[in-house]
Amino acid sequence: MTNGQPQYPTGLGTSDATTIRLLGHDLAEELMGQVGFGELAFWLAAQRRPNAGEVRLFETVLVALADHGFTPTAIAARLTLLSAPESVQGAMAAGLLGGGSRFLGVTEDTGRFLAEVIAEAGDAARAATDAEWDALARKALAERKAAKRLVPGLGHPVHKERDPRTAVIVRIAREEGAYGPHLALFEAMGRMAPEVLGRALPLNGAGVCGAALADLRLPPELLRGFALLARAAGLLGHLAEELRRPIAADIYHAVDRNAQYVPEDTL
């Protein structure tokens, strides 16, 4: 406390009568028109300014996660706009609140899983060769299999053979010198899956996004937040399209008119 008043420290933004400061810089004079939104989002979360290569990989991840069509989150946003057309914020929030373990959560789950495996391996995960990554992946996969737990980021409900996003993210990470232990371990998981799990499973693009974000040294506990940041753009696109070419009423009517009452004791 200062002079008897409580203090609430922040290193993000502040303002006075004539200026706005963000991250220690003059917003109008030093940031606006000079810093892209992706760079700023990274900077705000990481509290360090990313270099150009990190920005390119980070924005590649955001693009990869922005929209996947009529997912439950997009449908929820459209139906909420139908119900409350005066509340764009409510529709956006409805879609974002649906970002969980089945949709969008795989980015965080994969990043956390890889970080835990690497932390447990300690020195064995430093400057490892492909063979050493394979051995580490084999061990982690076997442990998951024995515990009857799914491996985050392996497999995709639509892209059964390969997720088209995966190779692009890995390539850009390598080009920008941002390919690190999380991506190396995750690629090894894909190589070892047939041997340990008995079948080949593609690296889920959202999972690769989690590995790439972890290699950018972003906190594992924030990884879902970056997926939500990306999906916000997609949801806004769905709401804009809903205003131009509405389909939410058709979805509502299709469910409502085909609802079948089933007595509880027959379920």
Side-chain angles (χ1 to χ4, degrees):
M1 299 180 67
T2 302
N3 297 325
Q5 296 298 316
Q7 300 295 298
Y8 305 101
T10 176
L12 300 180
T14 187
S15 62
D16 57 31
T18 59
T19 62
I20 302 172
R21 296 192 66 78
L22 184 63
L23 296 166
H25 294 265
D26 186 297
L27 177 69
E29 298 297 327
E30 299 176 337
L31 299 180
M32 292 174 62
Q34 301 180 53
V35 175
F37 180 71
E39 179 180 357
L40 180 63
F42 187 113
W43 195 350
L44 284 165
Q47 290 292 285
R48 66 178 179 86
R49 189 168 187 172
N51 62 40
E54 290 175 321
V55 172
R56 184 184 178 213
L57 179 58
F58 181 68
E59 292 187 341
T60 297
V61 167
L62 295 184
V63 171
L65 296 172
D67 182 61
H68 294 168
F70 285 123
T71 59
T73 58
I75 295 170
R78 287 182 181 245
L79 288 173
T80 302
L81 189 68
L82 172 67
S83 181
E86 74 285 355
S87 181
V88 170
Q89 72 273 23
M92 289 282 289
L96 292 174
L97 287 171
S101 59
R102 291 185 176 177
F103 291 87
L104 296 179
V106 67
T107 297
E108 176 188 349
D109 295 342
T110 303
R112 281 180 177 271
F113 169 60
L114 296 171
E116 290 168 1
V117 173
I118 290 170
E120 184 178 328
D123 290 342
R126 300 180 189 280
T129 64
D130 282 351
E132 289 169 328
W133 283 123
D134 286 351
L136 190 57
R138 186 185 298 111
K139 178 177 180 291
L141 290 172
E143 289 173 351
R144 279 263 165 169
K145 181 179 180 180
K148 297 182 178 180
R149 299 176 63 192
L150 293 176
V151 179
L154 286 187
H156 193 284
V158 177
H159 308 300
K160 300 296 185 181
E161 294 186 6
R162 70 178 184 87
D163 189 315
R165 298 169 293 177
T166 296
V168 177
I169 293 169
V170 171
R171 172 177 59 79
I172 290 175
R174 289 186 181 279
E175 289 174 355
E176 300 301 339
Y179 183 94
H182 300 85
L183 280 168
L185 176 59
F186 197 41
E187 285 204 284
M189 296 277 184
R191 293 193 296 268
M192 292 297 100
E195 175 185 323
V196 180
L197 304 181
R199 59 187 177 127
L201 292 168
L203 298 181
N204 185 301
V208 176
C209 286
L213 291 172
D215 274 345
L216 288 171
R217 294 180 286 129
L218 294 168
E221 59 269 23
L222 290 183
L223 298 190
R224 190 176 305 188
F226 297 115
L228 293 172
L229 173 66
R231 190 53 57 91
L235 291 174
L236 187 59
H238 274 277
L239 297 180
E241 185 176 69
E242 184 64 26
L243 293 174
R244 296 192 309 270
R245 192 167 56 238
I247 55 93
D250 293 336
I251 295 174
Y252 160 59
H253 290 143
V255 175
D256 181 60
R257 292 167 184 172
N258 291 283
Q260 179 183 13
Y261 174 71
V262 179
E264 190 70 24
D265 58 5
T266 66
L267 293 177

